[in-house]
Amino acid sequence: MGMSGNGAGPRRAVVRDGASHALLDDVAKQIIEQLQEDGRRPYATIGKAVGLSEAAVRQRVQRLLDAGVMQIVAVTDPLQLGFPRQAMIGLRVSGDLEQVADRLAEFDEVDYVVITAGSFDLLCEVVCRDDDHLLEILKRLRTVEGVLSTEAFVYLKLRKQTYSWGTA
């Protein structure tokens, strides 16, 4: 969950898992780094930084977007949007993990779902208005077929969150 701190929600480029490595030469990585710093940075400015024309940068960015290598999104601050409570919820599941994960992903309050190895089968991150809302979400999650148990890890303070990985 993005924490901008200013409520305006800066735009960031997010590099996606499973990205096509053929498109990721050094120049493409430099372009991605520029967009990770500021997703609204003008192509002309990026071009000067990486040694390409504005048109070449525009074309490269479009290819990266079309291939699913990255996406440009507005990163919001849940606190500024009235969701001061966040939690990671560990779930133990029976049956088809992907099917349960897909069902959890349908919840509006869930912004992140992963299948994991270890003591939990799934982890999902939720954003909530308050503790009562978190309790309501936990009750709803427990009604999903295949969910055996949940354990909530309430966020007290976010110390680091970055979107700058993927180009090193």
Side-chain angles (χ1 to χ4, degrees):
M1 187 91 263
M3 301 293 287
S4 70
N6 66 9
R11 292 173 53 119
R12 305 258 191 231
V14 179
V15 179
R16 299 177 54 142
D17 291 339
S20 172
H21 297 293
L23 293 173
L24 292 179
D25 62 9
D26 288 341
V27 174
K29 289 179 182 181
Q30 290 174 33
I31 291 170
I32 291 169
E33 288 171 357
Q34 291 284 315
L35 290 168
Q36 284 175 322
E37 290 174 13
D38 179 359
R40 298 188 315 176
R41 184 166 289 158
Y43 291 151
T45 303
I46 296 171
K48 288 177 188 169
V50 302
L52 293 176
S53 69
E54 178 181 352
V57 170
R58 180 177 290 107
Q59 184 179 48
R60 289 262 197 144
V61 168
Q62 193 59 53
R63 274 190 290 189
L64 292 166
L65 293 169
D66 291 345
V69 171
M70 69 174 189
Q71 54 183 235
I72 299 174
V73 298
V75 178
T76 59
D77 181 347
L79 296 172
Q80 298 288 331
L81 296 174
F83 296 98
R85 173 64 69 220
Q86 290 180 269
M88 184 65 69
I89 301 173
L91 299 100
R92 291 183 181 86
V93 173
S94 68
D96 186 335
L97 292 178
E98 290 184 4
Q99 194 171 42
V100 176
D102 290 344
R103 177 66 184 97
L104 299 178
E106 294 173 4
F107 284 68
D108 289 337
E109 299 91 347
V110 172
D111 65 12
Y112 181 87
V113 180
V114 293
I115 297 172
T116 64
S119 60
F120 296 106
D121 299 305
L122 301 173
L123 292 174
C124 69
E125 184 181 65
V126 298
V127 292
C128 316
R129 291 183 304 273
D130 52 33
D131 288 338
D132 288 335
H133 190 203
L134 175 57
L135 181 58
E136 173 202 323
I137 294 166
L138 286 168
K139 288 177 183 177
R140 289 178 24 226
L141 290 173
R142 290 175 181 143
T143 67
V144 172
E145 186 175 341
V147 172
L148 300 175
S149 66
T150 62
E151 185 173 345
F153 301 91
V154 175
Y155 298 178
L156 299 176
K157 189 172 189 177
L158 182 65
R159 296 297 295 173
K160 179 180 180 181
Q161 184 163 13
T162 182
Y163 296 97
S164 60
W165 50 270
T167 58

